[in-house]
Amino acid sequence: MTETLRVAVIGAGRMGADHIQRLSKRIHGAEVAAVVDVDLARAQAAVEGIPGAVALADADEALNNGDVNAVLIATPGFLHEDILLKALARDIPILCEKPLTPDAESAWKIVQAEEKLGHKRIQVGFMRRFDAEYAALGQVIRDHELGELLMLHHQHRNPTTPPGFTNEMLINDSVVHEFDAIRFFTGEEITSVQVRLGKATKNAPAGQHDPQHVLVETESGVLADVEIFVNAKFGYEVATQASFEDGIVSIGGDKGPYTRAAGRWGGNVTPGFEERFGAAYDVEIQSWVDAALRGEIGGPTAWDGYATAACCEAGVEAQKNGEKVAVKLNARPALYS
Amino acid sequence: MTETLRVAVIGAGRMGADHIQRLSKRIHGAEVAAVVDVDLARAQAAVEGIPGAVALADADEALNNGDVNAVLIATPGFLHEDILLKALARDIPILCEKPLTPDAESAWKIVQAEEKLGHKRIQVGFMRRFDAEYAALGQVIRDHELGELLMLHHQHRNPTTPPGFTNEMLINDSVVHEFDAIRFFTGEEITSVQVRLGKATKNAPAGQHDPQHVLVETESGVLADVEIFVNAKFGYEVATQASFEDGIVSIGGDKGPYTRAAGRWGGNVTPGFEERFGAAYDVEIQSWVDAALRGEIGGPTAWDGYATAACCEAGVEAQKNGEKVAVKLNARPALYS
Amino acid sequence: MTETLRVAVIGAGRMGADHIQRLSKRIHGAEVAAVVDVDLARAQAAVEGIPGAVALADADEALNNGDVNAVLIATPGFLHEDILLKALARDIPILCEKPLTPDAESAWKIVQAEEKLGHKRIQVGFMRRFDAEYAALGQVIRDHELGELLMLHHQHRNPTTPPGFTNEMLINDSVVHEFDAIRFFTGEEITSVQVRLGKATKNAPAGQHDPQHVLVETESGVLADVEIFVNAKFGYEVATQASFEDGIVSIGGDKGPYTRAAGRWGGNVTPGFEERFGAAYDVEIQSWVDAALRGEIGGPTAWDGYATAACCEAGVEAQKNGEKVAVKLNARPALYS
Amino acid sequence: MTETLRVAVIGAGRMGADHIQRLSKRIHGAEVAAVVDVDLARAQAAVEGIPGAVALADADEALNNGDVNAVLIATPGFLHEDILLKALARDIPILCEKPLTPDAESAWKIVQAEEKLGHKRIQVGFMRRFDAEYAALGQVIRDHELGELLMLHHQHRNPTTPPGFTNEMLINDSVVHEFDAIRFFTGEEITSVQVRLGKATKNAPAGQHDPQHVLVETESGVLADVEIFVNAKFGYEVATQASFEDGIVSIGGDKGPYTRAAGRWGGNVTPGFEERFGAAYDVEIQSWVDAALRGEIGGPTAWDGYATAACCEAGVEAQKNGEKVAVKLNARPALYS
């Protein structure tokens, strides 16, 4: 019988609870050993019906639990650094939801700690790389099937934002996905970010300028842009149109049953990221589990987490000054080359 | 300067009024010279704002008018025979809305009268042949681009029916278009018709069984079927899916702006045949006018009108007995070979 | 820790090998304990890299193996009856690929054996019920969201057939899926089957008439039809268009990246059932495993296997006589009501 | 009988020849009276088969011809100014293909000349306004059907460019259409233009940087962008995606028969602007003819021609400096308010 990953899930919020279901009901080779949440009641609710899983209020206790041999971090980003360093110290497989950490400086510390450990233990939760259409587009690019990639147009639209969602979060929590996607598609680092603020929707909360138009360049000069629109009301959408020398490829189109009724043709818009990327999360977590059981990682690295953090810092500065802001990166350690 | 077709439009109902606008506002080389309607007020309303057009209550008066050199017949079908014979006697270009006449016997008389005249003067208003997608599919078939055509699946759906629309009219007024389309696509005659009656909608008027599933075979054994659904509520739809040896071609898909709003993606269903086939009517009438100015016809012949009438007779019988009913046709006169 | 299903997979052909990967790599709560194939080398190849799984040439040996607590039958249909009866005798969870058995008489024996056992142990592999779009359409029907369901139009197209695929197999192996789908969608039994044979493709092997048009009626009079076209060359397609009183719903549309290149817009057709229904297989097997661990079944029953076998018998007779053939069913045992 | 527009078509190149066919074969109420081309043989070829039309080498001769009562200008843009002024002097209806003139200064002279004349005689050939989907999107915007318009994303892709097509022409001849479209959609003037030059295709001729990403802002802050890609090889595409407060609307999607063959689903990309906008040209010219016969114009004004020329000047400057360049406009004369 195969060995089993006994995972401590840190954070039992929306994302954590989703992963707990995944690990305990659909993923082969993994079980939930512990759920940690500062709100112990929430941890207890999350382990209900999951045999062999304990609810804890303290991450240290989970990391020191002998029954635990892997950790999935799903807390808010500002709590990641401490847990990451402790889990690295224990040298166990780590899946860390994005962002790796909230800023480039702290992310760089994680990169250095892992480099010192000497092997990769951290996989970062940029799950779009595991979406079938993202994978297919990435393949077209790498195969030069339609010549060189020239431009990438992205739409990232959410129906609404949770309370307290700021202008900065619009870059750090939303556009961060496109930063990683652009890096994934091109295999290049992002060199600059510009942000255009124009007419704003009345549906955004006070203090949030929505939508925004984010302009990005990569090392070889691929021009990318992102319409980030987080109070778009109509539903959830993540789409990309890629312009090549010899053709155009679009992903993220609408799906599902096609209905004609009451004078309209069409179907239901995906309501949220769980529905849009549910399958990608499954593939991501299975990839992590399979790799972890072999002593490897199966997805984006801590370097990817660091590099996107640097993009976010440039993006937030660009939001404020309206100018094209260069992205500053330290030299890439050998471990990630 | 080119000669001009001076058209008497017989019948100023929905179809006639539409053609009057077309001839007097959009078609090159034609003018409306007269509008005839038993309801003179309706004829008068129809000529308003059309310089040089007279309103009449009597078709004979129009046919005897020296200013008239062509006729477009848009009255109910049971009035066609008399006008057709008189217009043939005057030997002027005739566009006759479908059906040529309501039954195969009277249609055969028209065919014989035209044969005696010795040249084709009658064009029958099967306008679908002028639809760009119908034309494209016809071309794929004739070019054997995807091998032999094997099956044709049709959907013909109307939102609702006018008062007094009977089971027989469902064949004679609606499926008649598919009978012509199948003949147009295959270039063959239809050899048999079967009609399946199953579960019926509550939205049909009393006495009407709706929808119905009509099964058709052609000379070479192409199997066609038609879902005729005349109280389909959601809107108007005319679509065909053709199965070839080497592929599948569909026409009649939904069109227009693509909207995402309120949790739905999609667009507006075409509300009726004017919107769906408006451009085809323009092309049809221009083709007729151009051909008429050359002394020819530019579309379906009186034989097409006769042959579809024979299909309709078989279809109505098949509705009643549930069996496969053979279509009976006289030998095709040389004029139409 | 949860109990684990230790599955003996009987048959290591295309289908069996696929399920072995699924059970050992993606499904939570299951492991492959044994693989049985009369070709022992094939069984050995299938267990390679799967810790704890043994390769056997004899099904009895697997069923008597104490480490085995469930069985998945993926042999050709004519071998099912014997294994089913033995597995029922052991009273362990059984997932039996369709068909249950090749004919209604032997299927009825299985139904009776399970009825005698007194509880359901057999789940039949009609995996389409687990496809997200099938499930969504089923929901629309059950909710009467668009009024009553009136018609169902199916297209079932394969690129090509394996050697030895006969006319009868076209019903028994292919249309059998639509028989189950129609029963699933309507929640009714099928009452009659008619088969139309028209123009045939040159691409079919000798003795096979392809495509065929299969006409079906259900208890309440829903009219269904199936274009079965097993040498359609262009790729694989399984689609349904459902006509309701208040609208039309289509499922099975094309998916994937949308490309414009070399004068064409579009994407790749699904090449085969593994790609089209791969996710449905995963959901089906997970549903079976979850239910089996609770002592239940999680999908179609032996009765469903029996009833579709009766439809197939009527279908094969209808292929030969061209008439509408009634489907004969025994009374439904209480266990399945 | 209605009066007829007797049109002198100046320029018998690709565009002119197309309009000659249109006016003499499809448009009601107009005839071609004269065709002028410096290459007289080309003019003679263009009038072949058109009764009553003369071929001339000199525009003055046509303008002085008593049989001519309207003019359609289809010469290269640098020749427009002279003909426009002479035709204004004759006070006859003018349809001038875009651009009005090649630069804002000369366009302003035309505006002033027409203002002095005191009524509008010039309609500019921005035919996209007459495309059914453009019209529909314009209506959604004006009706505030989905709240305020916030962003406009445009794709303008040509398969290839004619010899001698320069970077400047990419703005002046191609993006000029989007400048007008953005003004048409928003009902606002454009206030600034920025141009991004990134990775370029190897398929562009020397000296041409292709594709380019053009960024535009309007008076109220609507952010628009245009991917202009004039050597895109795959075919022709003109599409817009509009982001509103309450939803998203896309126009310009692919159309036509939907085929599945050889492992691909899809259809044919529109090969060029004639196919994409042929119907819009017909509507545009009919609108001009109808309005001209009433003594009015039926489309974009000389002001629209001037304002887009000013946008083009800003665009060409922006191409060179990479900065956001303000668009400078004179005050709008009362005639155009």
Side-chain angles (χ1 to χ4, degrees):
Chain A
M1 198 180 300
T2 61
E3 195 188 341
T4 297
L5 219 59
R6 300 281 302 154
V7 184
V9 177
I10 318 294
R14 185 175 174 185
M15 218 44 253
D18 207 28
H19 284 315
I20 291 163
Q21 290 301 307
R22 191 165 275 122
L23 286 166
S24 62
K25 303 256 168 88
R26 292 198 300 279
I27 299 298
H28 192 91
E31 300 286 348
V32 174
V35 173
V36 178
D37 203 289
V38 285
D39 176 353
L40 184 61
R42 193 157 73 161
Q44 284 164 335
V47 299
E48 200 146 334
I50 300 180
V54 297
L56 304 168
D58 177 28
D60 289 343
E61 207 176 332
L63 291 170
N64 295 328
N65 184 331
D67 187 35
V68 165
N69 62 15
V71 62
L72 189 159
I73 304 173
T75 60
F78 72 92
L79 297 171
H80 289 186
E81 184 178 352
D82 181 56
I83 306 169
L84 283 164
L85 293 173
K86 285 173 176 161
L88 278 179
R90 261 205 67 191
D91 199 10
I92 55 174
I94 303 161
L95 182 74
C96 182
E97 270 302 323
K98 60 93 201 165
L100 182 64
T101 67
D103 57 83
E105 191 183 338
S106 55
W108 181 244
K109 280 189 209 158
I110 301 300
V111 165
Q112 287 180 304
E114 192 178 45
E115 199 199 2
K116 198 168 159 195
L117 183 65
H119 50 251
K120 283 180 266 188
R121 279 301 196 187
I122 300 170
Q123 179 173 329
V124 182
F126 291 120
M127 84 295 175
R128 288 195 194 169
R129 298 184 177 208
F130 298 92
D131 175 66
E133 290 203 325
Y134 270 71
L137 175 53
Q139 199 61 44
V140 170
I141 294 169
R142 284 188 298 278
D143 291 350
H144 291 79
E145 195 179 310
L146 296 171
E148 287 291 309
L149 173 69
L150 304 174
M151 288 195 186
L152 286 167
H153 305 292
H154 301 269
Q155 291 90 40
H156 183 159
R157 293 157 180 158
N158 296 72
T160 185
T161 45
F165 202 85
T166 64
N167 256 346
E168 289 74 20
M169 292 166 81
L170 194 141
I171 297 293
N172 291 330
D173 285 14
S174 298
V175 180
V176 64
H177 279 295
E178 273 74 26
F179 288 148
D180 183 66
I182 292 163
R183 298 176 65 257
F184 167 69
F185 286 138
T186 61
E188 301 176 24
E189 295 299 344
I190 289 171
T191 55
S192 74
V193 184
Q194 182 184 349
V195 180
R196 303 169 78 207
L197 304 182
K199 200 166 175 177
T201 176
K202 66 175 178 292
N203 299 315
Q208 211 193 82
H209 191 108
D210 185 40
Q212 302 189 10
H213 194 209
V214 180
L215 310 174
V216 164
E217 288 179 40
T218 72
E219 289 166 318
S220 75
V222 172
L223 300 182
D225 67 297
V226 185
E227 180 195 306
I228 177 71
F229 189 3
V230 293
N231 300 279
K233 288 187 65 185
F234 73 93
Y236 182 76
E237 181 192 5
V238 167
T240 298
Q241 189 175 80
S243 301
F244 294 86
E245 288 179 316
D246 298 337
I248 311 295
V249 178
S250 301
I251 60 170
D254 294 305
K255 290 192 173 55
Y258 184 99
T259 300
R260 262 163 288 161
R264 297 277 303 167
W265 55 265
N268 291 321
V269 171
T270 301
F273 70 89
E274 292 96 334
E275 293 82 1
R276 170 71 173 84
F277 288 113
Y281 278 113
D282 285 359
V283 177
E284 176 199 36
I285 303 297
Q286 188 72 63
S287 172
W288 173 61
V289 169
D290 294 348
L293 290 172
R294 296 190 307 267
E296 302 168 9
I297 67 168
T301 65
W303 171 263
D304 295 312
Y306 160 70
T308 50
C311 293
C312 288
E313 290 198 355
V316 170
E317 189 183 335
Q319 267 185 334
K320 287 170 189 156
N321 68 15
E323 302 294 321
K324 189 158 97 172
V325 175
V327 175
K328 294 179 208 81
L329 286 179
N330 294 323
R332 190 194 289 237
L335 181 61
Y336 308 102
S337 62
Chain B
M1 197 179 299
T2 61
E3 194 187 343
T4 296
L5 218 60
R6 300 280 303 155
V7 184
V9 177
I10 318 294
R14 183 175 175 185
M15 216 45 251
D18 207 28
H19 284 315
I20 290 164
Q21 290 302 307
R22 191 166 274 120
L23 286 166
S24 62
K25 303 255 167 88
R26 290 198 302 278
I27 299 298
H28 192 91
E31 299 286 350
V32 174
V35 173
V36 179
D37 203 289
V38 286
D39 176 353
L40 185 60
R42 192 155 75 161
Q44 284 165 335
V47 299
E48 200 144 334
I50 300 179
V54 297
L56 303 168
D58 177 27
D60 289 343
E61 207 175 332
L63 290 172
N64 294 331
N65 184 330
D67 188 35
V68 164
N69 62 14
V71 61
L72 189 160
I73 304 173
T75 60
F78 72 92
L79 295 171
H80 288 188
E81 185 178 353
D82 181 56
I83 306 169
L84 282 165
L85 292 173
K86 285 174 175 160
L88 277 180
R90 260 205 70 192
D91 200 11
I92 55 174
I94 303 160
L95 182 73
C96 181
E97 270 300 324
K98 61 94 200 165
L100 182 64
T101 67
D103 57 84
E105 192 184 336
S106 55
W108 181 245
K109 280 190 208 155
I110 301 300
V111 164
Q112 286 180 304
E114 192 177 44
E115 198 199 3
K116 200 169 158 194
L117 184 65
H119 49 251
K120 283 179 267 189
R121 279 301 197 187
I122 299 170
Q123 179 173 330
V124 181
F126 290 120
M127 84 296 174
R128 287 196 194 170
R129 297 184 178 208
F130 298 91
D131 175 65
E133 290 202 325
Y134 270 71
L137 175 53
Q139 199 59 45
V140 171
I141 294 169
R142 283 187 298 279
D143 291 350
H144 290 79
E145 195 179 310
L146 296 171
E148 289 289 310
L149 174 69
L150 304 174
M151 288 194 187
L152 285 167
H153 305 292
H154 301 268
Q155 291 90 41
H156 182 159
R157 294 158 180 157
N158 296 72
T160 184
T161 46
F165 201 85
T166 63
N167 255 345
E168 287 75 18
M169 292 167 81
L170 194 140
I171 297 292
N172 290 332
D173 285 14
S174 298
V175 180
V176 64
H177 278 295
E178 273 75 26
F179 288 150
D180 184 64
I182 293 164
R183 296 177 64 256
F184 167 69
F185 285 138
T186 61
E188 302 176 25
E189 295 298 344
I190 288 171
T191 55
S192 73
V193 184
Q194 181 183 351
V195 180
R196 301 169 79 206
L197 303 182
K199 200 166 175 177
T201 176
K202 66 174 178 296
N203 299 316
Q208 210 190 84
H209 191 110
D210 186 41
Q212 303 188 8
H213 194 210
V214 180
L215 310 175
V216 164
E217 288 180 39
T218 72
E219 290 166 315
S220 75
V222 172
L223 300 183
D225 67 298
V226 185
E227 181 195 305
I228 178 70
F229 188 3
V230 293
N231 298 280
K233 289 187 64 183
F234 73 93
Y236 182 75
E237 182 193 3
V238 167
T240 298
Q241 189 176 80
S243 301
F244 295 85
E245 288 179 315
D246 298 337
I248 311 294
V249 178
S250 301
I251 61 170
D254 294 304
K255 289 192 174 53
Y258 183 99
T259 300
R260 263 163 289 159
R264 296 278 302 169
W265 54 265
N268 291 321
V269 170
T270 302
F273 70 90
E274 291 97 335
E275 294 81 1
R276 171 71 173 84
F277 288 112
Y281 278 113
D282 285 358
V283 177
E284 175 200 37
I285 303 297
Q286 190 70 63
S287 173
W288 174 60
V289 169
D290 294 347
L293 291 172
R294 294 190 310 265
E296 302 168 9
I297 66 169
T301 65
W303 170 262
D304 294 314
Y306 160 70
T308 50
C311 292
C312 287
E313 290 197 356
V316 169
E317 188 183 337
Q319 268 185 334
K320 287 171 188 154
N321 68 15
E323 303 293 322
K324 190 159 97 170
V325 175
V327 174
K328 293 181 209 79
L329 286 179
N330 294 325
R332 190 193 289 237
L335 182 61
Y336 307 102
S337 62
Chain C
M1 198 180 298
T2 60
E3 193 188 344
T4 297
L5 218 59
R6 300 280 304 155
V7 183
V9 178
I10 318 293
R14 184 174 175 185
M15 215 48 249
D18 207 29
H19 284 316
I20 290 164
Q21 291 302 308
R22 191 166 274 120
L23 286 166
S24 63
K25 303 256 168 86
R26 292 199 299 278
I27 299 298
H28 192 92
E31 299 286 349
V32 174
V35 173
V36 179
D37 203 288
V38 285
D39 176 352
L40 183 62
R42 191 156 75 162
Q44 283 165 336
V47 299
E48 201 146 330
I50 300 179
V54 297
L56 305 168
D58 176 28
D60 288 344
E61 208 176 331
L63 290 171
N64 294 329
N65 184 331
D67 188 35
V68 165
N69 62 16
V71 62
L72 189 160
I73 305 173
T75 60
F78 73 92
L79 296 171
H80 288 186
E81 184 178 352
D82 181 57
I83 307 169
L84 282 165
L85 292 173
K86 284 171 176 162
L88 278 180
R90 261 204 69 190
D91 199 11
I92 56 174
I94 304 161
L95 183 73
C96 182
E97 270 301 323
K98 61 95 199 162
L100 183 63
T101 67
D103 57 84
E105 191 183 338
S106 56
W108 181 244
K109 278 189 209 158
I110 302 300
V111 164
Q112 286 180 305
E114 191 178 49
E115 199 198 3
K116 198 166 158 195
L117 184 66
H119 51 252
K120 284 180 266 188
R121 278 300 196 188
I122 301 170
Q123 179 174 329
V124 181
F126 290 120
M127 83 296 174
R128 288 196 192 168
R129 298 185 178 209
F130 298 92
D131 175 66
E133 289 202 326
Y134 269 73
L137 175 52
Q139 199 61 44
V140 171
I141 294 169
R142 284 188 298 278
D143 290 351
H144 291 80
E145 196 180 308
L146 296 170
E148 288 290 310
L149 173 69
L150 305 174
M151 287 194 187
L152 285 168
H153 305 292
H154 301 269
Q155 290 91 40
H156 182 159
R157 293 157 180 158
N158 295 72
T160 185
T161 46
F165 201 85
T166 63
N167 256 345
E168 289 74 20
M169 291 166 83
L170 194 141
I171 297 293
N172 290 331
D173 284 16
S174 298
V175 181
V176 64
H177 278 295
E178 274 74 25
F179 288 148
D180 184 64
I182 293 164
R183 297 175 65 255
F184 167 68
F185 286 138
T186 61
E188 300 176 25
E189 295 299 344
I190 289 172
T191 55
S192 74
V193 184
Q194 182 183 351
V195 179
R196 301 170 77 207
L197 303 182
K199 199 165 175 177
T201 176
K202 66 175 178 294
N203 300 315
Q208 212 191 83
H209 191 109
D210 186 40
Q212 303 188 10
H213 194 209
V214 180
L215 310 175
V216 164
E217 289 180 38
T218 71
E219 289 166 317
S220 74
V222 172
L223 300 183
D225 67 298
V226 185
E227 180 195 305
I228 178 71
F229 188 4
V230 293
N231 299 280
K233 288 187 64 185
F234 72 93
Y236 182 75
E237 182 192 3
V238 168
T240 299
Q241 189 176 81
S243 301
F244 294 84
E245 289 179 316
D246 299 337
I248 311 295
V249 178
S250 301
I251 61 169
D254 294 305
K255 290 195 173 54
Y258 184 99
T259 300
R260 261 163 289 160
R264 299 276 303 166
W265 54 263
N268 291 321
V269 170
T270 301
F273 71 89
E274 292 96 335
E275 294 81 2
R276 170 71 173 85
F277 288 112
Y281 278 113
D282 284 359
V283 177
E284 175 199 38
I285 303 297
Q286 190 71 65
S287 173
W288 173 61
V289 169
D290 293 347
L293 291 172
R294 294 190 310 264
E296 301 168 10
I297 68 169
T301 65
W303 171 262
D304 294 314
Y306 160 71
T308 51
C311 292
C312 288
E313 290 197 355
V316 170
E317 188 184 336
Q319 267 185 335
K320 289 171 187 156
N321 68 15
E323 304 293 322
K324 190 159 98 172
V325 175
V327 175
K328 292 180 209 83
L329 286 179
N330 294 324
R332 190 194 290 236
L335 182 61
Y336 307 102
S337 63
Chain D
M1 200 179 296
T2 61
E3 193 187 344
T4 297
L5 219 58
R6 300 280 303 154
V7 183
V9 177
I10 318 293
R14 183 175 176 186
M15 216 47 249
D18 206 29
H19 284 315
I20 290 163
Q21 290 302 307
R22 191 166 273 121
L23 286 166
S24 63
K25 303 254 167 88
R26 291 199 300 279
I27 299 298
H28 192 92
E31 300 285 350
V32 174
V35 173
V36 179
D37 203 290
V38 285
D39 177 353
L40 184 61
R42 193 157 73 163
Q44 284 164 335
V47 300
E48 200 144 333
I50 300 179
V54 297
L56 304 169
D58 177 27
D60 288 343
E61 207 176 331
L63 291 171
N64 295 330
N65 184 330
D67 188 35
V68 164
N69 62 15
V71 61
L72 189 159
I73 305 172
T75 60
F78 72 92
L79 296 171
H80 288 187
E81 184 178 352
D82 181 56
I83 306 168
L84 282 165
L85 292 172
K86 284 172 178 162
L88 278 180
R90 260 203 69 191
D91 199 11
I92 56 174
I94 304 160
L95 182 72
C96 180
E97 270 301 324
K98 61 94 200 164
L100 182 64
T101 67
D103 57 83
E105 192 183 336
S106 55
W108 181 245
K109 280 189 210 156
I110 302 300
V111 164
Q112 286 179 306
E114 192 177 46
E115 198 199 4
K116 199 169 157 193
L117 183 67
H119 50 252
K120 283 179 269 188
R121 279 301 195 188
I122 300 170
Q123 179 174 330
V124 181
F126 291 119
M127 84 296 173
R128 288 196 193 167
R129 297 185 179 208
F130 298 92
D131 174 66
E133 289 202 327
Y134 270 72
L137 174 53
Q139 200 60 45
V140 170
I141 295 169
R142 285 188 297 278
D143 290 351
H144 291 79
E145 195 179 310
L146 296 171
E148 288 290 309
L149 174 70
L150 304 174
M151 288 195 187
L152 285 167
H153 306 292
H154 301 269
Q155 291 90 41
H156 182 159
R157 293 159 179 155
N158 295 73
T160 185
T161 46
F165 201 85
T166 63
N167 255 347
E168 289 73 19
M169 291 166 82
L170 194 141
I171 298 291
N172 290 331
D173 285 14
S174 298
V175 180
V176 64
H177 279 295
E178 273 75 26
F179 287 149
D180 184 65
I182 292 163
R183 296 176 65 256
F184 167 69
F185 286 138
T186 61
E188 300 176 27
E189 295 298 346
I190 288 170
T191 56
S192 74
V193 183
Q194 182 183 349
V195 180
R196 303 169 78 206
L197 304 181
K199 200 167 176 177
T201 176
K202 66 174 177 296
N203 300 315
Q208 211 191 81
H209 191 109
D210 186 41
Q212 302 189 10
H213 195 210
V214 180
L215 309 175
V216 164
E217 288 180 38
T218 72
E219 290 166 317
S220 74
V222 172
L223 299 182
D225 67 299
V226 185
E227 181 195 304
I228 178 71
F229 189 3
V230 293
N231 301 278
K233 287 187 64 184
F234 73 92
Y236 182 76
E237 181 192 5
V238 168
T240 299
Q241 188 175 82
S243 301
F244 295 85
E245 290 179 315
D246 298 337
I248 312 295
V249 178
S250 301
I251 61 170
D254 295 304
K255 291 193 173 54
Y258 183 100
T259 300
R260 262 163 289 161
R264 297 278 302 168
W265 55 264
N268 292 321
V269 170
T270 302
F273 71 88
E274 292 96 335
E275 294 81 2
R276 170 69 174 85
F277 288 114
Y281 278 113
D282 285 358
V283 176
E284 176 200 37
I285 303 296
Q286 190 70 64
S287 172
W288 173 59
V289 170
D290 294 347
L293 291 172
R294 294 189 310 265
E296 301 169 10
I297 67 168
T301 67
W303 171 262
D304 294 314
Y306 160 71
T308 50
C311 292
C312 287
E313 290 197 354
V316 170
E317 188 183 337
Q319 267 185 333
K320 288 171 189 156
N321 68 15
E323 302 293 322
K324 189 159 98 171
V325 175
V327 175
K328 295 180 209 79
L329 286 179
N330 294 325
R332 188 193 291 238
L335 182 61
Y336 308 102
S337 63

